[in-house]
Each structure stands twice: as structure tokens, then as C-alpha cells.
Amino acid sequence: MQPTIRPFCLEDSDAVITIWEACGLTVPWNDPHKDIVRKMQVSPELFLVAELTGRLAGTVMGGYEGHRGWINYLAVAPDCQGQGVGRALMQAVESKLIALGCPKINLQVRKSNTAVIQFYGHLGYHIDDVISLGKRLIKDD
């Protein structure tokens, strides 16, 4: 069965955060509720969810600032993994980014998450020879 991909709506928030937590994507220094509010203020059309068998099964946040696209919070409920949900979400967000003229997508994966690195490899992504740097500007106490 193919998942249904649609835009995120605020009523999805609790189910989305549950999936993020189940997939180990939440961290103490990022409030997932605030991350949702922030995303809804900037390109909310790039925040997608997948439904499978009548329930929320996956999420992805895309971003584009005119130079590079970004993928954040790609997550599939553990009991829905291996059913094409992640692939369908990535195809949908990539299509939206291409329509915006986005020439390249970047994303970050923890080095230890080899299964996810392999997943992205199957989708044509490769490891760039770069170091990711970050600086927190607003703390989510």
C-alpha cells in the first residue's frame, strides 16, 4: 500500500512529535513544539506528513533559502519502516524543492546512524567531504 503524502497541519503536532521521539530525533536543547511553530512561519508547504493505513506514519521538513535545500526531521514510525514511507516523503519534498529551483539538497545524519546513512545512499545521496558547524542563536529552555 502506498502512503498518502500531504501537508502538515497543526492537529498533527502530537502524532508528529511522537514519531520524532520514537525515532530518536528529539534532543533536550531543541523543543519540538517550538520547532513546529518556527517551521510553520517559514515555508510551511515544505513540511509534509505521510499517512499509511489511516494513521500518521512519517514526517519530513524541507527548507530552501535560494542556494541549498535542507532536509530535517525525516522520520518514519518504527512499525511503518520498510514500507516505502520514507522514500515517498523524500520524493515528495524533492519534487517541491525542484519546483522552487533548488539545485542541491543537504542533510545531516549522526555518524553512528549507519542504517539511515544507507537509506539515503539508496536514494542517491552521498557523503560530502565537509564538516558541519552550528551555533545556537536562541535557546529552547
Side-chain angles (χ1 to χ4, degrees):
M1 171 179 265
Q2 283 288 340
T4 301
I5 309 299
R6 64 167 175 79
F8 167 87
C9 61
L10 287 176
E11 294 79 24
D12 298 323
S13 295
D14 290 339
V16 162
I17 292 170
T18 297
I19 291 171
W20 292 349
E21 289 171 345
C23 293
L25 297 183
T26 57
V27 291
W29 54 89
N30 275 26
D31 180 332
H33 297 280
K34 288 181 181 177
D35 285 348
I36 288 172
V37 169
R38 290 175 180 133
K39 181 58 188 165
M40 295 309 287
Q41 294 172 1
V42 180
S43 302
E45 71 280 3
L46 296 176
F47 190 178
L48 305 175
V49 296
E51 292 179 338
L52 187 65
T53 62
R55 66 178 261 246
L56 205 70
T59 76
V60 67
M61 278 186 189
Y64 181 54
E65 53 10 44
H67 180 65
R68 292 282 186 262
W70 283 90
I71 300 299
N72 294 292
Y73 281 119
L74 176 68
V76 176
D79 64 320
C80 296
Q81 292 175 6
Q83 299 180 50
V85 175
R87 180 179 295 276
L89 282 163
M90 286 301 294
Q91 288 172 340
V93 76
E94 286 176 3
S95 292
K96 288 184 174 291
L97 289 166
I98 289 167
L100 293 171
C102 177
K104 183 178 190 264
I105 296 173
N106 289 351
L107 54 89
Q108 296 175 323
V109 177
R110 292 180 185 104
K111 283 184 190 181
S112 61
N113 201 342
T114 56
V116 171
I117 293 168
Q118 286 180 333
F119 165 79
Y120 282 117
H122 291 300
L123 297 182
Y125 289 77
H126 63 277
I127 296 172
D128 288 335
D129 190 18
V130 298
I131 295 173
S132 177
L133 303 174
K135 179 181 178 181
R136 188 86 184 164
L137 299 176
I138 299 172
K139 295 195 184 331
D140 288 353
D141 296 324

